[in-house]
Amino acid sequence: MTALEGKHIVLGVCGGIAAYKAAELVRLYKKAGAHVRVLMTPHAHRFVTPLTLGTLSEEEVHTEIFPPNEKGSWTRHVEIGLWADIMVVAPATAQTVAKLADGTCDSMLTAVALSRRCPLLVCPAMDHDMYMHAATQGNMDTLRHRGDIVMEAAHGELASGLVGEGRLPEPADIVNTTIRVLTEAAPRRSGPLAGQALTVTAGPTREPIDPVRFISNHSSGTMGFAIAETAARLGAEVTLISGPVALPTPAGVARRVDVETTADMHEAVLARGADDVIIMVAAVADYTPASASTRKIKKDGHGLALELVPTVDILADLGSRKQRHQRLIGFALETHDGLENARGKLARKNLDWIVLNILGEEGAGFGAGTNKVTILGADGSTVKLPVLPKAEVAAAIVHHTLLGV
Ligand code: CTP
């Protein structure tokens, strides 16, 4: 798997002679497994056709904010901006660098540049004197001060016949820088949870009996993933720690850590132990075999008694060392005496909130697309939600517990 596998790249192409190299760049990104959507400035059409870049990217190419023959698409710049993990402008002309610096919004490319929440990588290409001009250098400095990444133009022969800085960096170098930015740079986030580090656990844990068997449960991870997605959309820097599930990482999640056992999950959660918010949605196994066999256990015609010992209670451990700035949210899955049991867990584990799920209630439980929960607060509050799709339950939990709405 490459570092770009599954990444969403928006490539902005401007009108300069180096625009033809955008075709090679799209090809390299696609080869690395990325999804690419191309935006061209009107001038870029003079150097390379949307047909070329659309064919290579396998996506529609956009230029205007208001395309002449389309209905209901005026918010597409927002959708593309939110879709992107990174926006790369290559080649970036002096004109577009200036527009990016001053926030001009006159094409799909510049509109997406303003709407996005992801890093911006600018790869300038222009004639030497334009590149060296104080105005252009000043604009590039403005972008860098803002946290955007501006590559140095390469030195060499230019289309004008001059020799000097101004050439587009080699596509392979742009790809390497894209990887570096995606792995190192913290994405720019905005929203009511911006600046908050939030960890969500999701899915089941697996406790091995022998190399081929394990104890686990039916958790699908859907609820935890939906909470991670909601929190990321609201601007939090989200770490998603997941047991074995078949779900893709939600958009906007800063990092995902995949674990198997409760002990692994405990270690991964402690690594995020200083985060502002920790939400334990995972259905953590309460017991683990006293010792896992290193060899497959063979049947011998008799019964088999497994000795189980308790696992560490991750949430109780976090509660016992809770920091002043921190909020802890737990889940309780109950079949009976729900409110009483959940209140007990809220107090025992030193939580701020607990979300009660009652198994057996219509519309609630594992695998269902919907859920029905009650949110209990350490302040004594009780909020009962109706049966809702899991994404809406997730949104309601995040809004109620973290935003007070
Ligand atoms: N939890 C945890 N570590 C465990 C077990 C549970 O962190 N070993 C967390 C779960 O992620 C959940 C909360 O504790 O947020 C409640 O889990 P639950 O299994 O419902 O409650 P328990 O405390 O394990 O009690 P019981 O199984 O007896 O109902």
Side-chain angles (χ1 to χ4, degrees):
M1 197 169 120
T2 74
L4 292 181
E5 187 78 44
K7 292 290 183 210
H8 292 179
I9 300 174
V10 167
L11 177 63
V13 180
C14 308
I17 190 71
Y20 77 92
K21 290 189 183 169
E24 172 68 355
L25 193 51
V26 174
R27 205 185 60 80
L28 291 175
Y29 283 145
K30 292 286 288 181
K31 211 169 137 199
H35 304 287
V36 185
R37 288 168 86 176
V38 176
L39 313 177
M40 297 173 75
T41 63
H43 283 163
H45 289 226
R46 298 188 168 218
F47 295 90
V48 60
T49 71
L51 183 63
T52 308
L53 298 179
T55 306
L56 289 171
S57 66
E58 299 173 287
E59 292 281 353
E60 194 183 341
V61 172
H62 300 280
T63 296
E64 308 292 345
I65 306 177
F66 297 102
N69 300 321
E70 255 184 293
K71 282 188 191 149
S73 62
W74 66 271
T75 54
R76 179 157 287 155
H77 57 289
V78 177
E79 181 263 316
I80 296 176
L82 291 175
W83 176 86
D85 293 316
I86 187 168
M87 178 169 184
V88 181
V89 183
T93 53
Q95 160 101 319
T96 294
V97 168
K99 287 181 182 176
L100 292 172
D102 75 12
T104 299
C105 175
D106 62 351
S107 69
M108 186 60 103
L109 188 157
T110 47
V112 171
L114 290 181
S115 312
R116 86 208 137 83
R117 294 183 178 175
C118 63
L120 174 68
L121 170 62
V122 178
C123 311
M126 60 197 79
D127 197 54
H128 177 70
D129 294 310
M130 294 173 88
Y131 182 69
M132 297 310 291
H133 196 284
T136 307
Q137 290 291 326
N139 288 331
M140 292 194 295
D141 284 346
T142 301
L143 294 174
R144 288 190 180 110
H145 280 127
R146 223 181 260 158
D148 301 326
I149 301 93
V150 183
M151 288 183 81
E152 300 282 347
H155 184 279
E157 281 178 24
L158 300 164
S160 61
L162 294 177
V163 175
E165 283 81 28
R167 282 171 66 93
L168 182 71
E170 285 307 315
D173 291 339
I174 297 176
V175 171
N176 286 336
T177 307
T178 307
I179 293 170
R180 185 178 60 72
V181 173
L182 276 171
T183 40
E184 284 174 12
R188 188 183 70 158
R189 295 175 192 281
S190 58
L193 295 179
Q196 298 216 28
L198 183 146
T199 285
V200 185
T201 65
T205 56
R206 274 183 189 171
E207 304 303 321
I209 297 170
D210 69 13
V212 291
R213 305 179 180 97
F214 54 80
I215 299 172
S216 192
N217 58 63
H218 289 297
S219 172
S220 63
T222 318
M223 198 62 225
F225 275 57
I227 287 182
E229 181 162 16
T230 303
R233 201 169 45 239
L234 293 170
E237 190 211 324
V238 176
T239 301
L240 175 59
I241 300 174
S242 177
V245 296
L247 295 174
T249 307
V253 164
R255 66 192 70 79
R256 171 173 174 173
V257 183
D258 287 319
V259 296
E260 288 239 346
T261 64
T262 302
D264 294 342
M265 185 171 277
H266 187 215
E267 192 182 322
V269 170
L270 287 188
R272 303 299 315 174
D275 278 6
D276 303 292
V277 181
I278 302 182
I279 311 180
M280 286 289 304
V281 193
V284 182
D286 287 323
Y287 292 94
T288 187
S291 64
S293 172
T294 52
R295 305 175 67 181
K296 186 180 173 199
I297 300 170
K298 306 298 280 183
K299 61 176 175 289
D300 61 6
H302 296 99
L304 175 69
L306 276 179
E307 190 195 343
L308 301 178
V309 293
T311 54
V312 57
D313 189 318
I314 303 170
L315 195 50
D317 185 32
L318 290 171
S320 71
R321 51 173 103 194
K322 189 158 91 177
Q323 300 172 18
R324 288 170 75 90
H325 72 279
Q326 210 165 42
R327 277 164 296 171
L328 292 183
I329 302 172
F331 272 63
L333 183 62
E334 307 291 345
T335 53
H336 56 280
D337 303 329
L339 285 171
E340 199 183 321
N341 286 332
R343 279 244 166 257
K345 286 176 192 176
L346 178 79
R348 210 166 47 246
K349 302 194 189 195
N350 193 20
L351 309 179
D352 298 275
W353 302 94
I354 194 155
V355 180
L356 168 65
N357 261 292
I358 301 199
L359 202 63
E361 282 205 350
E362 209 179 328
F366 293 123
T370 56
N371 210 352
K372 185 179 177 192
V373 305
T374 300
I375 308 172
L376 309 174
D379 57 1
S381 62
T382 302
V383 172
K384 220 171 172 164
L385 298 180
V387 176
L388 291 169
K390 281 188 175 167
E392 286 178 39
V393 177
I397 292 169
V398 172
H399 279 90
H400 183 72
T401 58
L402 302 182
L403 299 172
V405 288

